[in-house]
Amino acid sequence: MKRIIGSLLVLCLLSGSLVAGDWDPNDDTFDPSIKSVVVENTTWLGDPSPFVHLGIPRTGYTHVNQTNWDGFDPSVQISLMVPLKPGETKPRAGGMLMMNQAQTTELIQVIEGALKSEPKEERIQIKTGMKDADWALTFATDKESRFLQLENKTKDKVDAYRFSINASKKLLGAIRHSLKQLESTIKK
Protein backbone atom coordinates (compact mmCIF):
# COMPACT_ATOMS: atom_id res chain seq x y z
CA MET A 1 0.00 0.00 0.00
CA LYS A 2 2.83 2.41 0.86
CA ARG A 3 4.42 1.76 -2.56
CA ILE A 4 1.17 2.56 -4.36
CA ILE A 5 0.72 5.80 -2.41
CA GLY A 6 4.38 6.72 -2.99
CA SER A 7 4.07 6.01 -6.72
CA LEU A 8 0.90 8.09 -6.96
CA LEU A 9 2.59 10.96 -5.12
CA VAL A 10 5.55 10.90 -7.52
CA LEU A 11 3.20 10.85 -10.53
CA CYS A 12 1.26 13.82 -9.13
CA LEU A 13 4.45 15.80 -8.60
CA LEU A 14 5.77 15.01 -12.07
CA SER A 15 2.48 15.67 -13.85
CA GLY A 16 2.92 19.43 -13.53
CA SER A 17 6.54 19.36 -14.75
CA LEU A 18 7.74 19.27 -18.32
CA VAL A 19 11.16 18.67 -19.78
CA ALA A 20 12.37 21.04 -22.47
CA GLY A 21 11.36 18.57 -25.20
CA ASP A 22 7.71 19.02 -24.19
CA TRP A 23 7.95 22.76 -23.56
CA ASP A 24 8.34 25.12 -26.49
CA PRO A 25 10.19 28.39 -25.76
CA ASN A 26 8.74 29.83 -28.99
CA ASP A 27 5.14 29.24 -27.92
CA ASP A 28 3.17 32.46 -27.53
CA THR A 29 0.65 31.27 -24.94
CA PHE A 30 0.91 30.97 -21.18
CA ASP A 31 -0.27 27.71 -19.60
CA PRO A 32 -1.01 28.11 -15.86
CA SER A 33 -1.25 24.32 -15.41
CA ILE A 34 2.52 23.97 -15.99
CA LYS A 35 4.16 23.94 -12.57
CA SER A 36 7.76 23.83 -13.84
CA VAL A 37 9.93 23.07 -16.85
CA VAL A 38 13.44 21.70 -17.10
CA VAL A 39 15.70 23.51 -19.57
CA GLU A 40 19.38 22.60 -19.85
CA ASN A 41 19.39 20.73 -16.51
CA THR A 42 17.80 23.64 -14.66
CA THR A 43 14.25 23.70 -13.31
CA TRP A 44 12.24 26.86 -13.88
CA LEU A 45 8.97 27.52 -12.06
CA GLY A 46 5.76 27.81 -14.04
CA ASP A 47 5.58 28.36 -17.80
CA PRO A 48 8.47 30.81 -18.19
CA SER A 49 9.04 33.29 -21.00
CA PRO A 50 12.58 33.19 -22.38
CA PHE A 51 14.56 36.40 -22.88
CA VAL A 52 18.12 37.33 -23.69
CA HIS A 53 20.02 39.49 -21.24
CA LEU A 54 21.92 41.69 -23.66
CA GLY A 55 24.82 42.53 -21.34
CA ILE A 56 26.13 38.96 -21.09
CA PRO A 57 24.42 37.81 -23.60
CA ARG A 58 22.69 34.82 -22.07
CA THR A 59 19.18 33.37 -22.18
CA GLY A 60 17.17 33.69 -18.99
CA TYR A 61 13.61 32.97 -17.99
CA THR A 62 10.77 34.69 -16.18
CA HIS A 63 8.63 33.70 -13.25
CA VAL A 64 5.44 35.70 -12.71
CA ASN A 65 3.29 35.40 -9.59
CA GLN A 66 1.17 37.41 -7.21
CA THR A 67 2.74 38.41 -3.89
CA ASN A 68 1.74 40.09 -0.67
CA TRP A 69 4.95 41.28 0.99
CA ASP A 70 5.01 43.38 4.15
CA GLY A 71 5.47 47.05 3.30
CA PHE A 72 4.08 46.70 -0.23
CA ASP A 73 0.62 46.66 -1.76
CA PRO A 74 -0.52 43.22 -2.91
CA SER A 75 1.42 42.93 -6.17
CA VAL A 76 2.25 41.05 -9.32
CA GLN A 77 5.93 40.16 -9.30
CA ILE A 78 7.95 39.53 -12.47
CA SER A 79 11.28 37.84 -11.78
CA LEU A 80 13.90 37.90 -14.55
CA MET A 81 16.38 35.13 -13.81
CA VAL A 82 19.59 34.39 -15.70
CA PRO A 83 21.21 31.01 -14.95
CA LEU A 84 24.74 30.68 -13.66
CA LYS A 85 27.29 28.98 -15.87
CA PRO A 86 29.44 26.18 -14.41
CA GLY A 87 32.04 27.68 -12.11
CA GLU A 88 30.17 30.95 -11.48
CA THR A 89 29.28 31.62 -7.87
CA LYS A 90 27.54 34.99 -8.10
CA PRO A 91 24.64 35.97 -10.36
CA ARG A 92 25.76 38.36 -13.10
CA ALA A 93 22.31 39.52 -14.10
CA GLY A 94 18.65 39.41 -13.13
CA GLY A 95 15.91 41.69 -11.99
CA MET A 96 12.49 42.00 -10.45
CA LEU A 97 9.45 44.20 -10.96
CA MET A 98 6.67 44.46 -8.37
CA MET A 99 3.47 46.24 -9.39
CA ASN A 100 0.21 46.80 -7.56
CA GLN A 101 -3.14 46.20 -9.27
CA ALA A 102 -3.28 49.57 -11.05
CA GLN A 103 0.38 49.44 -12.13
CA THR A 104 -0.06 45.89 -13.46
CA THR A 105 -3.15 46.91 -15.43
CA GLU A 106 -1.16 49.79 -16.91
CA LEU A 107 1.75 47.49 -17.85
CA ILE A 108 -0.68 45.11 -19.60
CA GLN A 109 -2.00 48.03 -21.67
CA VAL A 110 1.55 49.16 -22.53
CA ILE A 111 2.60 45.67 -23.68
CA GLU A 112 -0.63 45.19 -25.66
CA GLY A 113 -0.08 48.52 -27.39
CA ALA A 114 3.56 47.71 -28.10
CA LEU A 115 2.64 44.37 -29.66
CA LYS A 116 0.12 46.05 -31.98
CA SER A 117 2.24 49.01 -33.08
CA GLU A 118 5.26 49.46 -35.28
CA PRO A 119 8.56 49.74 -33.41
CA LYS A 120 9.59 53.29 -32.60
CA GLU A 121 12.40 54.93 -30.70
CA GLU A 122 10.58 55.32 -27.43
CA ARG A 123 11.26 54.47 -23.79
CA ILE A 124 7.95 53.90 -21.98
CA GLN A 125 8.35 54.26 -18.23
CA ILE A 126 6.93 51.41 -16.10
CA LYS A 127 5.63 52.33 -12.67
CA THR A 128 6.47 49.81 -9.96
CA GLY A 129 5.99 49.46 -6.23
CA MET A 130 9.73 49.52 -5.65
CA LYS A 131 11.01 52.94 -4.70
CA ASP A 132 13.79 54.31 -6.92
CA ALA A 133 13.39 51.52 -9.52
CA ASP A 134 13.73 52.82 -13.08
CA TRP A 135 12.08 50.26 -15.38
CA ALA A 136 10.98 50.92 -18.95
CA LEU A 137 9.74 49.13 -22.03
CA THR A 138 11.53 49.79 -25.31
CA PHE A 139 11.31 48.46 -28.85
CA ALA A 140 14.10 46.89 -30.86
CA THR A 141 14.62 45.42 -34.30
CA ASP A 142 17.44 43.16 -35.33
CA LYS A 143 17.78 41.43 -38.70
CA GLU A 144 14.17 42.36 -39.52
CA SER A 145 12.85 40.76 -36.30
CA ARG A 146 10.93 42.79 -33.72
CA PHE A 147 11.58 42.60 -29.99
CA LEU A 148 10.29 44.16 -26.80
CA GLN A 149 12.83 44.97 -24.11
CA LEU A 150 12.44 45.53 -20.41
CA GLU A 151 15.18 47.86 -19.24
CA ASN A 152 16.33 48.55 -15.70
CA LYS A 153 18.38 51.71 -15.42
CA THR A 154 20.63 52.15 -12.40
CA LYS A 155 23.17 54.79 -11.55
CA ASP A 156 25.98 53.16 -13.53
CA LYS A 157 24.34 50.91 -16.14
CA VAL A 158 21.26 49.77 -18.02
CA ASP A 159 20.30 46.08 -17.97
CA ALA A 160 18.24 45.11 -21.03
CA TYR A 161 16.10 41.97 -21.18
CA ARG A 162 15.06 41.25 -24.79
CA PHE A 163 11.88 39.28 -25.50
CA SER A 164 10.81 37.94 -28.88
CA ILE A 165 7.25 38.80 -29.90
CA ASN A 166 6.08 35.28 -28.96
CA ALA A 167 7.88 35.41 -25.60
CA SER A 168 6.27 38.84 -24.99
CA LYS A 169 2.83 37.34 -25.63
CA LYS A 170 3.56 34.47 -23.22
CA LEU A 171 4.76 36.98 -20.61
CA LEU A 172 1.59 39.01 -21.13
CA GLY A 173 -0.49 35.86 -20.51
CA ALA A 174 1.43 35.18 -17.28
CA ILE A 175 0.91 38.76 -16.10
CA ARG A 176 -2.83 38.60 -16.84
CA HIS A 177 -3.11 35.28 -14.97
CA SER A 178 -1.28 36.66 -11.93
CA LEU A 179 -3.42 39.82 -12.00
CA LYS A 180 -6.57 37.66 -11.84
CA GLN A 181 -5.10 35.82 -8.84
CA LEU A 182 -4.21 39.15 -7.24
CA GLU A 183 -7.70 40.55 -7.81
CA SER A 184 -9.32 37.47 -6.27
CA THR A 185 -7.26 37.90 -3.08
CA ILE A 186 -8.05 41.63 -2.88
CA LYS A 187 -11.81 41.03 -3.18
CA LYS A 188 -11.85 38.61 -0.23
Side-chain angles (χ1 to χ4, degrees):
M1 185 67 168
K2 287 182 183 177
R3 282 186 181 168
I4 293 172
I5 293 172
S7 296
L8 288 173
L9 181 60
V10 168
L11 284 173
C12 289
L13 289 172
L14 293 176
S15 67
S17 281
L18 296 173
V19 292
D22 297 332
W23 174 78
D24 183 1
N26 298 311
D27 182 24
D28 68 353
T29 58
F30 173 73
D31 183 350
S33 70
I34 296 175
K35 302 301 178 214
S36 64
V37 298
V38 178
V39 181
E40 296 179 17
N41 299 320
T42 303
T43 301
W44 300 95
L45 294 175
D47 184 6
S49 296
F51 61 85
V52 174
H53 183 280
L54 295 181
I56 298 179
R58 190 179 296 168
T59 299
Y61 301 91
T62 61
H63 177 63
V64 182
N65 61 307
Q66 67 94 28
T67 63
N68 196 0
W69 290 2
D70 284 341
F72 293 92
D73 292 336
S75 300
V76 169
Q77 174 185 328
I78 301 172
S79 298
L80 302 156
M81 300 171 287
V82 179
L84 296 175
K85 290 287 185 189
E88 289 181 338
T89 57
K90 293 182 185 176
R92 292 178 54 195
M96 182 179 74
L97 292 87
M98 279 184 50
M99 297 154 295
N100 64 26
Q101 184 178 11
Q103 293 164 336
T104 302
T105 301
E106 188 175 321
L107 177 62
I108 288 170
Q109 292 169 348
V110 166
I111 294 174
E112 287 173 339
L115 289 170
K116 292 176 187 173
S117 67
E118 288 298 315
K120 44 191 161 239
E121 297 281 325
E122 183 178 12
R123 188 172 195 271
I124 304 168
Q125 198 71 34
I126 298 171
K127 296 176 188 160
T128 72
M130 303 192 75
K131 208 177 195 180
D132 302 326
D134 185 358
W135 283 95
L137 182 75
T138 62
F139 305 88
T141 55
D142 188 11
K143 298 177 185 164
E144 298 184 26
S145 294
R146 292 177 51 205
F147 300 94
L148 298 183
Q149 290 180 181
L150 288 174
E151 294 182 351
N152 183 23
K153 187 176 182 182
T154 59
K155 181 172 59 173
D156 55 347
K157 66 179 181 169
V158 175
D159 284 309
Y161 306 87
R162 180 175 281 185
F163 291 81
S164 69
I165 295 302
N166 283 354
S168 299
K169 290 176 181 178
K170 182 185 284 270
L171 176 61
L172 183 59
I175 295 168
R176 284 183 181 135
H177 176 74
S178 293
L179 179 60
K180 282 183 186 175
Q181 290 180 316
L182 177 69
E183 290 170 342
S184 71
T185 62
I186 292 173
K187 290 177 183 176
K188 290 181 179 180

